[in-house]
Amino acid sequence: MPKGIWVYIEQFDGQIKKVSLEVLSASRKAAEELGHELCAVLPGKGVLEMAYTLGKYGADKVYVLEDDVLENFTTDGYANAIAGLIKENEPYAFLLGYTMCGRDLAAQVAQKVETGLMSDCVDMTVEDGQLVFTRPIYAGKVFVKATCPEARPVMASIRPNSFMAEENKKEAEIVNAPFQVGDIRQEIKDIVRQVSERPELTEADIIVSGGRGMKSPENYKVIEELADVLGAAVGASRAAVDAGWVPHNMQVGQTGKTVSPVLYIACGISGAIQHLAGMGSSKCIVAINKDPEANIFKVADYGIVGDLFDVVPLLKEEFESFL
Amino acid sequence: MNIVVCLKQTFDTEAKIKLTGDGRIDNKGVSLIINPYDEFAVEEALKLKEKDGGEVTVVSVGGQQAQDALRQALAMGADKAMLIDPGTEEVDEYIAATVLAKALSGMDYDIILGGWRAIDDSSAQVAGRIAEILNIPVVNMVTKLEVEGGKAVATREIEGGSEVIEVSLPAMITAQKGLNEPRYPSMKGIMKAKKKPMGKTTAADVGVDELTTKVKALSFSLPKPREAGKVIEGEAPDAAKELARLLHQEAKIF
Ligand SMILES: Cc1cc2nc3c(=O)[nH]c(=O)nc-3n(C[C@H](O)[C@H](O)[C@H](O)COP(=O)(O)OP(=O)(O)OC[C@H]3O[C@@H](n4cnc5c(N)ncnc54)[C@H](O)[C@@H]3O)c2cc1C
């Protein structure tokens, strides 16, 4: 008896994360093929308003887990509540975004219900009546297709920007689910929000990144100005981070963030293998580098050999004129 | 204070990966390193020891070659190492965590450290699973750690900012870049490491019966290599104009 595909809906500051909608939309097709109900699981405080929008992305049912203690994400609170709900309802699959909180939650829930978890997946298909996931390993040098043949639910976390969030109008049933948050051992002492108009690096459609070629922290302004015209996030290579020009949470690469934007513009970045490991799944790569031999040109869809301090401001003007 | 670090040996980041004739990963000839995030964990453990005294134990599940990674941690300054043979070729995160948790449950620990993910499989779940099995709290992706009076206060990254979390010990903490700068082993450290204890045990010895993986790999494939695209010629103003046009008309991004 089919029991449903569940998607965890992550929200922050009253906003649903884009990746949650991507996973929900992608699961719609799988749910239909496998004859499952598609359920969204939405924990938080004051989230009912958000629940109504989930039908638009294909949810048949929304489990709302509403409680003051769920206002901020805590590993214990969220994992206890969701694992309890899973044990009670025994869904076939539980999917979520490979985000900072998503990863926390996924590991805890997977162990609480003793199932397998495939992390950082970039594709999901239905094969021989089961969900099959594809994920890059060895920094994208190999792809593995995997499944969870027996243990339930099948769990997977999905890399942001792997699917399109598509509207698929449904009237979702909203259910207030009973749950237990249990003992929350992580006490939040402080939350520091970065006030930024720019999108989150891991979820951004466009990223403009700067490397050692930026030469100083002040010069990042050149990149930021282009990013602002494009509504893009700003990234960096490790060389720029290690030089202390930008904070480490901007680093893209093997020991930085994995990003998958539609457009990645690399400025003054040589294209070391460890950098490519973090941005190689970008749909379109643009490189601006004064060295025609730079490795980045071997993977870039479009390249300009030139000084970034000449090219980037001109590029900004070009985009300004038609965006 | 007793500090345990879970450490994984991973492939060298420059390594070329091939597939064998039957479509499996061919790891022959691939040089191996300590998972870079675990190096941050080792460094943090050494700092805690320098501050409060105690003992640092590094533990790994893996084959014989993983001794090299453990030896390196000993050379950095860890006191002893333990290598656990999982007893099976196929190890998923569930098995790795179960074996590690079982081995750790027989040890005396105040804090367990690890990297937030391994760079080979990006799974980011073994530490969380261990914490769950041992029933201790976890704080992931920590960039700053203070341990005092039976509590850990950790700053961790969240999307759009950071948060400060307090947990009681024992706790599991996973390291993110920014936590510290790992030290290089000194010549003296390398010599000393040779005499430090390297315990070896097996999953069966720590009390884990035969386990089967929860996740099953169906097939492996190499990605289509990205091809070099167009290099736009000309002076900067023309090149910028042309790039904007191509992104608009050809790539259809705007
Ligand atoms: C274990 C490990 C993990 C690592 N993880 C990461 C990671 O996560 N992310 C990462 O990025 N790196 C990582 N690295 C480092 C990586 O190997 C490279 O050292 C790094 O990516 C280089 O950064 P870069 O391209 O900015 O600098 P460089 O390699 O120095 O390149 C600078 C480029 O800028 C160009 N340039 C200079 N001035 C100008 C100008 N005015 N206009 C245009 N072009 C200009 C130069 O031609 C050059 O190509 C890792 C390394 C190791 C060993």
Side-chain angles (χ1 to χ4, degrees), chain A residues 65-88:
Chain A
L65 284 67
E66 168 84 42
D67 197 307
D68 285 357
V69 300
L70 298 178
E71 177 171 12
N72 290 308
F73 177 89
T74 55
T75 312
D76 281 348
Y78 272 56
N80 287 338
I82 289 172
L85 202 62
I86 287 177
K87 283 182 187 159
E88 189 134 317

Side-chain angles (χ1 to χ4, degrees), chain A residues 10 12 17 73 75-76 98-101 103-104 107-108 110-112 114-120 127 130 132 135-149 151 185-194 200 202 206 230 238 241-242 248-249 251 253-258 262-263 273-274 279-286 288 297-305 310-311 314-315 318-319 322-323, chain B residues 11-19 25 27 36-37 40 92-94 97-98 116-117 119-133 135-141 143 153 156-168 176-179 181 213-224 226-234 236-237 239-241 243-248 250-251 253-254:
Chain A
E10 184 173 342
F12 187 70
K17 287 241 153 211
F73 177 89
T75 312
D76 281 348
Y98 186 73
T99 61
M100 287 168 184
C101 293
R103 290 189 286 258
D104 250 37
Q108 299 283 304
Q111 191 58 40
K112 277 181 199 290
E114 290 195 50
T115 193
L117 163 63
M118 292 155 276
S119 305
D120 196 17
E127 288 172 32
Q130 60 182 350
V132 172
R135 64 194 200 96
I137 53 172
Y138 292 88
K141 289 171 188 169
V142 182
F143 280 82
V144 58
K145 256 189 179 188
T147 185
C148 187
R185 296 164 297 179
Q186 292 89 1
E187 192 186 331
I188 301 176
K189 290 287 188 186
D190 194 14
I191 298 183
V192 185
R193 301 261 154 102
Q194 273 158 5
E200 190 65 49
T202 48
I206 305 176
L230 299 172
R238 174 164 148 182
V241 171
D242 286 356
H248 68 85
N249 62 11
Q251 182 178 320
Q254 194 155 45
T255 47
K257 292 195 166 127
T258 306
V262 177
L263 175 63
I273 192 137
Q274 296 90 352
M279 46 64 88
S281 61
S282 304
K283 294 185 192 65
C284 178
I285 299 173
V286 167
I288 300 163
F297 288 121
K298 297 199 185 116
V299 299
D301 297 278
Y302 302 106
I304 293 181
V305 179
D310 297 333
V311 177
L314 287 165
L315 210 47
E318 287 300 328
F319 288 128
F322 79 83
L323 282 180
Chain B
F11 71 118
D12 179 5
T13 51
E14 302 277 347
K16 296 236 177 343
I17 310 280
K18 298 187 302 283
L19 296 184
I25 293 170
N27 41 23
Y37 291 102
F40 299 127
D92 68 353
E93 299 81 359
Y94 165 76
T98 308
W116 77 264
R117 69 167 173 177
I119 59 164
D120 53 3
D121 58 25
S122 282
S123 278
Q125 49 170 301
V126 171
R129 283 180 182 268
I130 293 172
E132 179 57 34
I133 301 170
N135 196 21
I136 59 173
V138 61
V139 187
N140 277 310
M141 301 192 81
T143 53
V153 178
R156 80 180 207 102
E157 258 183 49
I158 53 171
E159 263 112 2
S162 64
E163 59 184 13
V164 181
I165 306 268
E166 184 178 288
V167 286
S168 293
Q176 162 68 320
K177 187 172 192 239
L179 182 61
E181 269 312 317
T213 59
K214 301 278 185 194
V215 169
K216 189 169 182 291
L218 299 173
S219 64
F220 297 88
S221 60
L222 300 178
K224 259 212 321 268
R226 277 193 98 101
E227 281 169 33
K230 267 184 208 159
V231 172
I232 302 158
E233 310 282 342
K241 190 173 254 118
L243 175 59
R245 187 192 71 79
L246 286 166
L247 289 175
H248 177 53
E250 194 178 85
I253 286 169
F254 303 107

Side-chain angles (χ1 to χ4, degrees), chain A residues 30-269:
Chain A
E32 265 154 36
E33 248 183 284
L34 292 167
H36 280 291
E37 189 178 45
L38 180 60
C39 303
V41 179
L42 174 64
K45 180 190 171 186
V47 290
L48 197 59
E49 200 63 40
M50 285 178 240
Y52 289 108
T53 65
L54 295 168
K56 266 207 305 219
Y57 294 90
D60 296 309
K61 189 193 264 178
V62 183
Y63 285 111
V64 174
L65 284 67
E66 168 84 42
D67 197 307
D68 285 357
V69 300
L70 298 178
E71 177 171 12
N72 290 308
F73 177 89
T74 55
T75 312
D76 281 348
Y78 272 56
N80 287 338
I82 289 172
L85 202 62
I86 287 177
K87 283 182 187 159
E88 189 134 317
N89 295 277
E90 302 180 340
Y92 161 69
F94 180 58
L95 312 176
L96 64 184
Y98 186 73
T99 61
M100 287 168 184
C101 293
R103 290 189 286 258
D104 250 37
L105 184 66
Q108 299 283 304
V109 170
Q111 191 58 40
K112 277 181 199 290
V113 301
E114 290 195 50
T115 193
L117 163 63
M118 292 155 276
S119 305
D120 196 17
C121 301
V122 295
D123 200 13
M124 167 169 78
T125 49
V126 174
E127 288 172 32
D128 300 326
Q130 60 182 350
L131 278 181
V132 172
F133 295 87
T134 304
R135 64 194 200 96
I137 53 172
Y138 292 88
K141 289 171 188 169
V142 182
F143 280 82
V144 58
K145 256 189 179 188
T147 185
C148 187
E150 277 157 30
R152 294 289 175 266
V154 175
M155 276 186 65
S157 59
I158 313 285
R159 181 181 293 187
N161 290 346
S162 298
F163 298 102
M164 292 272 281
E166 284 167 88
E167 296 207 8
N168 193 327
K169 217 168 175 52
K170 288 242 165 200
E171 194 66 55
E173 177 195 354
I174 312 276
V175 181
N176 266 308
F179 61 93
Q180 303 260 309
V181 292
D183 184 16
I184 301 177
R185 296 164 297 179
Q186 292 89 1
E187 192 186 331
I188 301 176
K189 290 287 188 186
D190 194 14
I191 298 183
V192 185
R193 301 261 154 102
Q194 273 158 5
V195 253
S196 171
E197 300 286 298
R198 296 199 187 95
E200 190 65 49
L201 201 46
T202 48
E203 292 204 336
D205 285 330
I206 305 176
I207 296 172
V208 189
S209 269
R212 203 194 305 273
M214 298 310 301
K215 293 192 180 71
S216 83
E218 297 76 42
N219 286 340
Y220 264 83
K221 222 167 148 241
V222 179
I223 298 246
E224 284 161 8
E225 283 169 357
L226 175 61
D228 289 342
V229 171
L230 299 172
V234 178
S237 73
R238 174 164 148 182
V241 171
D242 286 356
W245 301 339
V246 291
H248 68 85
N249 62 11
M250 278 170 61
Q251 182 178 320
V252 171
Q254 194 155 45
T255 47
K257 292 195 166 127
T258 306
V259 298
S260 213
V262 177
L263 175 63
Y264 188 89
I265 306 180
C267 309
I269 292 178

